[in-house]
Every structure is written in structure tokens, then in C-alpha cells.
């Protein structure tokens, strides 16, 4: 019986009686370069007090063997260990007022990105290690009390090859050299922090250094050493100047806004391989996915996205690290703030100009999707255990929370917002908090009672919808508004009650601009405070009907939009010349496709039609991905051939006549959408081959780089127009870890039953042909490759899928199980309703399955249902 799933009650019970003072942790990774060694020694010495002497508690440790446990001088070893060790728990009985426990064991090198991940660079065989712990994987490295509110001071000692770069939250204070070519780095004790933000980095990383200098607290000078590290083979791609510039701009900005100076000493930025997320806010050592080291051309939107992540993580140094949620219910207390502040800082402190535009289209798009699943939840969630916590790093916690904070800043004013933050840091520094603590600070700063606002925004779920109801006299150009009402409607899926949230918004009025070919331009904005379900807009009455009325101009609030028919038609016809309005309207159109209110074919055609009219790379990459998804999943089988060919041709044509980022996005879209064309013509194959070629231009004066070549190779693979030799040839041209992952994807995409069988077997077992565990990235690639191409080829495999779900959940780590189940879940089913029925039956028959697993199936089933609805809508 696995017992890794700590409950909220168990955590609360531990924190009621325990206070942890220090951890002293020694980890020896000298054997990391030997592939046959699967574990490494770990010693954890923990000092803590207990307010209930005589009582019992337990430590968390997911290990590969325990040698001994010493509790207040009494040692357990060998057979005695079975008295106290039970799976992932070590029971400690008969506690004293002050206690010392030492656990000596073997921890396991991870291949899933959870715990201490080991990666061997395929191009030079160098071994790299890093850790990732949130929410509860420090226990895979050393024994501890794994919950955010048992903070302590940590002292780490790491033995590793002496030429390696070894780092942790704090600086190294001394080094012991050993005769065997290794050395032990001793780190300074940390300030008080939670287990999930401790970290270790070790390997022959390439390092560049810099520093930030500033004055804080009206005169005191603060110097923060900075560095950036990457694998040796990526060193030539490391654009450290831009990374340091953004990092310094962020430190300037946050020190201007926050009165509490950066408390963690140095600020390292480590870019690491096979990372499961964007980044992690470990104090003093932020880890980032190395997708942020651009090996191929990156658009302005990608650079801006990286800046946003850097500034998101930096905000956590205060929101999350300095003040930490007591339990995972209040995860939003750090994630929503970091997401909001990261975007605000990108907009205010860096040279990037479209942070709020990308936020409106992509970040909020994510929130709106998540908020319409049957599994949606209030921003302040009810998280009863760790598995549920792990599944809750979602669009509500991040993007909806951040959108709501943007609305909060509009509601109370930005100054009050920052005053509240500063009071909150002063009062709770190095401690733990819940929602009430922030609300108290906010009430003081704003002089308002925040209870009604909190109830309406943080404790309800589901999006509400804003729309304008118009009464018009006369027709066409002579139409005059006789009445205009802004309306809000929506139902909380959890309670069934109407949602009536207070909104402080602007309503934007747009008219055609003859000099711009009729593109709509903003002529007027109305400031509106909506408190209930509707409000009259008398400003519009008696005036000519505007061509387009946008209810959430400037994207101040969080709500779905229902444009009136005439406004929507005007947008589709002409577009608007305002970036934020464009972002908001496109997000709303995509939502209408997903809710079965807009024909996916109309959406796809409009994306192609506006192809050269959207200058923001952030919006264009978002809507071209939406269009590709619509092609793959939402268009009826009897029309997809015609629509895909049309869209794919348009993408090619736009690739030929645009330039810069816009061309780059259309080229990617061309290669991606090529996969949705049911029968590839010779012309299509020829175009893809031009893109794969390294000695021919695919567009005027444009040669494909590695990323584009792989996108085209994967499309050729789906059509059976490339084979393993082509993939090998590309690896020979440009080898990298990323190229190897792409090859795995391309092989799994080959359209023959044998390749699909191999891909399926590997995905469902997590093991490759040679019996080795697939790493997280390769597992994702196998699953993604399997899911490419014709449904007919994939359908037979689902006979065993449903009966094996629990086995996958039990045998893989939660993150790997999630990537497999979501990765192979039936998509693009060409009108086949069988998978939808099977998902429903599985849910009926597995009421007692782990909630986190059920949540995945419920969400995937909902997405499939929406796709099938779209397929019906678009039938010829
Ligand atoms: Zn975060």
C-alpha cells in the first residue's frame, strides 16, 4: 500500500505540536556519472521541538533503502527498522520536548523531473543534476517533514566531482577536497524556509556571473551576486546579457515597490534539462526550463514570455518564499500574485511592450478553458491532500487568480494594493499565512471592507459572461441607439447559484477607419462600475450605433464576452487596430468555438483572413495554435480535407509574403497544420521537404533552423513521407538533446501499425525498447507521436486503455502518469463517439479511483465532448 499521499489533516496535526529548528543534510552524488548506480547516500539530521512529549509523529522519505534511523540517541538498523519504517513514512514514537533524528539512507536518482533529476547529455555524455520539489518531492532526496508550514533553517553539504559546479540556496562557505577526485561543498545555513523551495544543483554547468547593485531603505547599499548556468553544449546559445538585464530591471522594480529588501543573498538562474515546468522560485537559486535557452530563432513573444517568467519567479521571493501559504488551499496566495506581478513588472520595467496583450489572449485563455471544466474550483481551493495539490497548478490558480488581482488593483487602486503587500511582508516575514492575513492588510490599506468582494471573486467558481444588449432605431448607417444595457450572467457550477460579481471596467466603442481599409478604431471609452446583474449605459443613447462595442476594453476584468452579432461580424470583416482589444476579442471567439456557439470553420477562416493583420507575435501564435487545434479536433470528418487544405495553403502563402516573427509563426503553423491534411498532395510534401532542406530557401531568403526542420519532419512522418533514415540524417546535421526528443516524437508518429504498437507499449509502460525507463521528455514525445495522424490507426489500441488507467497511475509518478494519460487520451476521433462513452463508463465504474486521476479523465472527457460538438456544428 503506497502511503505517499499526505493529507491536510495529517499536516495540520504535525504542525500543531512540532516546531522544526534545523536540518543538516549531506548528499553524496560522486557516483552520478555511473549509469548503473541508481541511488546515492543521503543523511538528514533534524532538530525539532514537540509541545506534546510522549506523542508520536512521522517523517516523510521516498527512498531506495534506509540504513539507520537514530531517534534521540537510540539507533534502529537492520531488521529493527521494520518497526518504524512504513513505505514513505518513518514513525517517531515517544517524542521529547526537544528531539534530534538522524536518517541515513539511499535516495534514488530521478528520471521524471521530480526529486533529484539526473540527465546525461547525449551529445557529450556529461551528467547533470538538479532538484525540483514542489509540492512535496524534497522527501525524494532527504528525510523531512514535507509540508509548507514546518519551516526551518537548512544546511546542505554536497559531495560531488570536484570540477563540477555545485550550488544550493545559499553560498558555499568551505570545501573539503578528497583523494578520489571529489570534494564536499559546505553551504551556509539558510534563513527559515519551507522544504519545497530548498534545492541542489550539481554538474559541469557553464556559468556566467554578474551582480545587481541598488540602494534600499533610503540609503543602504545592497549588492546581489547574479549568475546564469546552462549545460556546456548550450553555452553558445546562452544570451546572458538579456537574462541579466531583465533580472536587474526586476530587482530595481520590486525594490521600488516593496519596502522589504530582497532577503536571500545571491540570485542564481539555472537553466536545466527535462524540466517539468517553466521555472521554480527556489530562494537564491531559481531553476528554469532550458526551453528558455533559444537554440533556434525565437520570436519577440518568446523573449517576452521568458522575461515574464523571470519576473514571476522574482515576485515569489516575497510572495511565496518570504511569506508562504500554510497549506496548498492557498497556493493562489503565491501563484496568482506572482503571475500578476510578473506581467505588471514586464510591462513597467522592461522594454517588452505587449505583456498585457499576451496575458489577455493566452494566459486568460487558459483560465477560461479551465474555469469551464466540470472540475473547476474557487480560486481559494479545498485541497485535502497532496495528490489534489499536485493537480491544482492550473489555469485557475495562476491565470484566473492573476486576472482577479488585476481587477482588484482596478477596484482598490494600485497604491493600496502595494501598501497592503508591504504591511503583509513586514508582519509575516519568514512565516506562513492564509487568505485572511492578506485581506486584513488590504482592508487597512484601502479602508474598505473586502468581504463581499472576496466572497464574489475568490470563493465562487466559473466565469460569468458580459454582454451588451442594444435597442436600435433605424437601419444601416442611420441606426441610432435607443437603449443600451451591460449585462452579466453565469452560474457557479459548484453551487448552481447565479454569479454576480462586481466589475470595474471600461466599455470600448469602435468605428471603421476609412484610411486603414475599414479597420476598426477606438472612438470612445466609457468607465463603468457594475455591481449587480445589469447597468444602463445612457451615454450611448441617442447616438449612432458604434460598429463594435467591446464590454471589457483594456481587459481589466475577468469574464467571458458575448459580442453582439453586429460587433462580431464587424470584427471578423475588418479587425481592430488596438492590440489589447484584438487579444480580448480573439480569446472570446475561441471560447465560442469551444462552447459550440461559433462554427470552427468560421474561426479557422478568420485566422487565415487576419493572417497579416495581427502584428503581435503573442496573439498570432495563440490564435494559429487555436486554429490548428480546431482543425485537428473540431472540424467534421467530411469537411476537414477541404478546410485543412485551405488553411494550410493560406499558411504557406503567408509564409512567402510576410517577414520576421510573423513569417516564423506562419511557417510553424504551416508545418503543424500539414498534419491535419488527410491526404498529402505532392505539392504539400514538396513544401515540407523544402523546409527540411538545409541548402534551399523555403521562403524568400529564408532557410529553416533546427526547430522548423523538425516540425516539417514530423509532418512528413505523419504522412509516411519520411522515415528513420531521414531522422538520423537530421541528427547527424545538428545533434542536441532536443533533436533526440524530436526523433522520438517523429518515430512514434510513423503511420504504420508496428510503429504505433511500439509507441503505445512504450507510453503505457514508461519503458523503452531496451528496457530502460523513459525520461519525462521522451515519455511525452512518445505519447505525442502516438497521438498524431489518422484515428483509424489509433482506435484499436483503446480497447485496453481504460482497464489500464489505474495501473498507469499506480506504477508511475504522478507527473509521468499525468503526461501519459493526457498525452494519449483520444483526440481527433473523427466523429467516433465510442471513446466518449468509454470515458463516461469508466467514471461511473470508478467512483473510488484517486480523485486526481478522476479529475484528469473528467477534464479530458469534457474536452472531447466539446470537440465532438464542434464536429457536429461544422458538418457539411
Ligand atoms: Zn509561480
Amino acid at each position: 500500500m503506497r502511503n505517499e499521499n499526505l493529507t491536510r489533516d495529517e499536516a495540520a496535526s504535525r504542525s500543531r505540536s512540532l516546531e522544526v529548528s534545523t536540518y543538516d543534510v549531506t548528499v553524496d552524488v560522486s557516483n552520478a556519472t555511473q549509469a548503473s548506480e541508481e541511488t546515492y547516500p543521503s543523511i538528514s539530521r533534524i532538530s525539532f521541538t514537540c509541545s506534546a512529549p510522549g506523542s508520536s509523529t512521522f517523517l516523510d522519505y521516498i527512498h531506495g533503502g534506509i540504513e539507520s534511523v537514530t531517534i534521540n540517541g537510540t539507533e534502529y538498523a537492520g531488521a529493527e527498522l521494520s518497526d518504524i519504517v512504513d513505505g514513505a513514512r518513518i514513525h517517531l514514537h515517544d517524542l521529547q520536548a526537544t528531539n534530534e533524528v538522524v536518517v541515513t539512507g539511499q535516495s534514488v536518482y530521478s528520471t521524471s523531473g521530480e526529486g533529484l533529476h539526473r540527465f546525461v547529455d547525449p551529445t557529450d555524455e556529461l551528467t547533470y543534476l538538479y532538484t525540483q520539489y514542489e509540492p512535496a518531492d524534497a522527501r525524494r532526496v532527504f528525510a523531512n517533514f514535507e509540508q509548507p508550514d514546518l519551516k526551518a533553517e537548512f544546511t546542505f553539504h554536497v559531495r560531488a566531482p570536484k570540477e563540477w559546479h555545485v550550488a544550493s540556496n545559499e553560498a558555499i562557505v568551505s570545501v573539503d577536497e578528497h583523494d578520489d577526485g571529489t570534494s564536499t561543498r559546505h553551504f551556509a545555513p539558510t534563513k527559515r524556509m519551507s522544504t519545497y523551495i530548498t534545492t541542489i544543483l550539481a554538474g559541469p554547468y557553464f556559468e556566467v556571473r554578474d551582480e545587481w547593485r541598488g540602494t534600499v531603505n533610503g540609503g543602504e547599499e545592497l549588492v546581489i551576486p547574479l549568475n546564469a548556468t546552462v549545460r556546456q553544449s548550450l553555452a553558445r546559445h546562452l544570451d546572458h546579457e538579456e537574462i541579466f538585464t531583465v533580472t536587474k530591471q526586476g530587482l530595481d522594480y520590486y525594490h521600488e515597490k516593496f519596502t522589504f529588501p530582497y532577503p536571500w543573498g545571491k540570485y542564481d538562474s539555472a537553466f536545466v534539462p527535462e524540466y517539468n515546468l517553466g521555472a521554480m522560485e527556489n530562494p537564491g537559486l531559481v531553476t528554469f526550463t532550458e526551453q528558455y535557452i533559444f537554440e533556434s530563432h525565437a520570436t519577440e513573444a518568446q523573449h517576452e514570455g521568458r522575461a515574464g517568467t523571470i519576473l514571476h519567479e522574482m515576485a515569489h521571493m516575497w510572495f511565496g518564499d518570504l511569506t508562504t501559504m500554510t497549506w496548498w488551499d492557498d497556493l493562489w496566495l503565491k501563484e496568482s500574485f506572482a503571475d500578476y506581478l510578473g506581467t505588471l513588472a514586464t510591462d513597467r520595467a522592461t522594454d517588452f511592450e505587449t505583456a498585457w496583450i499576451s496575458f489577455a489572449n493566452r494566459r486568460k485563455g487558459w483560465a477560461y478553458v479551465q474555469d469551464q471544466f466540470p472540475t473547476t474550483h474557487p480560486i481559494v481551493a479545498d485541497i485535502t491532500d497532496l495528490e489534489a495539490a499536485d493537480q491544482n497548478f492550473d489555469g485557475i490558480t495562476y491565470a484566473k487568480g492573476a486576472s482577479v488581482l488585476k481587477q482588484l488593483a482596478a477596484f482598490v487602486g494600485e497604491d493600496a494594493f502595494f501598501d497592503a503587500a508591504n504591511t503583509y511582508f513586514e508582519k509575516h516575514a519568514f512565516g506562513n499565512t492564509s487568505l485572511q492575513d492578506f485581506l486584513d492588510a488590504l482592508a487597512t490599506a484601502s479602508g474598505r471592507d473586502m468581504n463581499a468582494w472576496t466572497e464574489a471573486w475568490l470563493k465562487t467558481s466559473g466565469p460569468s459572461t458580459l454582454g451588451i444588449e442594444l435597442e436600435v432605431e433605424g437601419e444601416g448607417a442611420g441606426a441610432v441607439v435607443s437603449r443600451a444595457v451591460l449585462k452579466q450572467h453565469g452560474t457557479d457550477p459548484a453551487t448552481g447559484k447565479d454569479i454576480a460579481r462586481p466589475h470595474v471596467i471600461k466599455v470600448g466603442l469602435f468605428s471603421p477607419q476609412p484610411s486603414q481599409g475599414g479597420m476598426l478604431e477606438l472612438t470612445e471609452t466609457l468607465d463603468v462600475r457594475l455591481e449587480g446583474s445589469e447597468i444602463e449605459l445612457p451615454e450611448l443613447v441617442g447616438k449612432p450605433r458604434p460598429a463594435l462595442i467591446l464590454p471589457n476594453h483594456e481587459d481589466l476584468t475577468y469574464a467571458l464576452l458575448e459580442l453582439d452579432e453586429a460587433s462580431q461580424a464587424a470584427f471578423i470583416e475588418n479587425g481592430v487596430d488596438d492590440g489589447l482589444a484584438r487579444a480580448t476579442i480573439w480569446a472570446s471567439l475561441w471560447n465560442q468555438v469551444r462552447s459550440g456557439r461559433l462554427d470552427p470553420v468560421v474561426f479557422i477562416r478568420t485566422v487565415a483572413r487576419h493572417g497579416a493583420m495581427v502584428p503581435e507575435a503573442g496573439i498570432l501564435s495563440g490564435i494559429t495554435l487555436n486554429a490548428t487545434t480546431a482543425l485537428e479536433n473540431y472540424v467534421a470528418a467530411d469537411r476537414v480535407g477541404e478546410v485543412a487544405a485551405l488553411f494550410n495553403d493560406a499558411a504557406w502563402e503567408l509564409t512567402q509574403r510576410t517577414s520576421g516573427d510573423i513569417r516564423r509563426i506562419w511557417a510553424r503553423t504551416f508545418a503543424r497544420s500539414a498534419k491535419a491534411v488527410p491526404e498529402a498532395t505532392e505539392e504539400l510534401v514538396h513544401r515540407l521537404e523544402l523546409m527540411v532542406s538545409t541548402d534551399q530557401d523555403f521562403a524568400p531568403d529564408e532557410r529553416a533552423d533546427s526547430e522548423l526542420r523538425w516540425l516539417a519532419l514530423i509532418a512528413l512522418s505523419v504522412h509516411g513521407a519520411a522515415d528513420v533514415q531521414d531522422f538520423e540524417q537530421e541528427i547527424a546535421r545538428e545533434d542536441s538533446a532536443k533533436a533526440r526528443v524530436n526523433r522520438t516524437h517523429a518515430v512514434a508518429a510513423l503511420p504504420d501499425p508496428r510503429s504505433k504498437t511500439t509507441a503505445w507499449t512504450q507510453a503505457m509502460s514508461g519503458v523503452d525498447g531496451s528496457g530502460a525507463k523513459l525520461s519525462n521528455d521522451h515519455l511525452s514525445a512518445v505519447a505525442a507521436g502516438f497521438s498524431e495522424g489518422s484515428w483509424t490507426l489509433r482506435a484499436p489500441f483503446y480497447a485496453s486503455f481504460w482497464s489500464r488507467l489505474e495501473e498507469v497511475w499506480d506504477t508511475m509518478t504522478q507527473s509521468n502518469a499525468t503526461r501519459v494519460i493526457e498525452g494519449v487520451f483520444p483526440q481527433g476521433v473523427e466523429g467516433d463517439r465510442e471513446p466518449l462513452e468509454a470515458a463516461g463508463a469508466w467514471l461511473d465504474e470508478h467512483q473510488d479511483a484517486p480523485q486526481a486521476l478522476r479529475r484528469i479523465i473528467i477534464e479530458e472527457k469534457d474536452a472531447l465532448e466539446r470537440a465532438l460538438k464542434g464536429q457536429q456544428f461544422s458538418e457539411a
Side-chain angles (χ1 to χ4, degrees), residues 660-862:
D661 280 358
I662 302 304
R663 166 183 285 174
R664 164 71 37 169
I665 292 164
W666 279 111
R668 290 174 189 170
T669 304
F670 165 75
R672 290 197 182 105
S673 62
K675 297 185 290 186
V677 177
E679 304 278 339
T681 59
E682 259 174 56
E683 181 65 23
L684 175 56
V685 170
H686 171 68
R687 287 168 176 176
L688 287 168
E689 282 172 348
L690 271 184
M691 220 171 236
V692 172
S693 158
T694 44
D695 47 22
Q696 293 185 76
D697 293 341
F698 70 87
D701 297 321
E702 190 92 32
R703 209 59 63 85
D705 56 20
S706 169
E707 180 187 357
L708 271 181
R709 293 202 301 272
W710 276 110
L711 281 176
L713 270 172
I714 289 168
L716 287 167
S717 169
V718 167
H719 288 296
D723 59 21
V724 176
Q725 268 94 51
D726 298 307
F727 312 148
E728 292 308 324
Q729 199 182 347
E730 174 55 33
I731 296 263
R733 271 182 199 151
E734 194 170 333
D735 195 6
S736 69
K738 204 182 253 177
R740 305 282 181 119
V741 173
N742 279 322
R743 178 178 61 184
T744 301
H745 185 149
V747 170
L750 286 167
D752 61 85
R754 242 183 78 196
S755 303
K756 288 292 172 203
T757 305
T758 306
W760 178 260
T761 310
Q762 294 191 0
M764 295 297 280
S765 65
V767 174
D768 73 10
S770 69
K773 264 192 201 166
L774 284 161
S775 73
N776 46 356
D777 275 8
H778 283 271
L779 193 54
S780 287
V782 163
F786 171 82
S787 293
E788 305 276 19
S790 130
W791 170 242
T792 322
L793 206 51
R794 289 179 283 137
F797 293 91
Y798 289 92
S800 68
F801 179 66
W802 306 101
S803 61
R804 290 181 63 189
L805 281 176
E806 283 167 298
E807 170 202 322
V808 168
W809 192 259
D810 284 341
T811 53
M812 292 187 194
T813 64
Q814 189 169 346
S815 92
N816 273 355
T818 304
R819 83 181 64 236
V820 169
I821 296 168
E822 291 180 352
V824 304
F825 199 91
Q827 308 262 354
V829 298
E830 297 168 19
D832 187 349
R833 299 193 69 82
E834 164 97 28
L836 183 68
E837 282 152 23
W842 187 90
L843 285 167
D844 287 344
E845 289 157 18
H846 294 82
Q847 307 282 350
D848 297 330
Q851 286 306 305
L853 171 59
R854 282 183 59 82
R855 176 172 170 172
I856 296 170
I857 303 301
I858 292 169
E859 291 178 0
E860 292 297 329
K861 173 175 172 273
D862 183 78

Side-chain angles (χ1 to χ4, degrees), residues 134 277 279-281 309 312-313 316 319 331 334-339 363 393 398:
E134 190 176 24
L277 48 159
M280 182 67 208
E281 68 265 23
T309 303
H312 170 119
E313 303 311 321
H316 276 314
F319 274 113
L331 177 61
K334 71 183 185 73
E335 292 309 338
S336 306
F337 283 81
D339 232 34
R363 245 10 216 183
F393 289 79
Y398 284 72

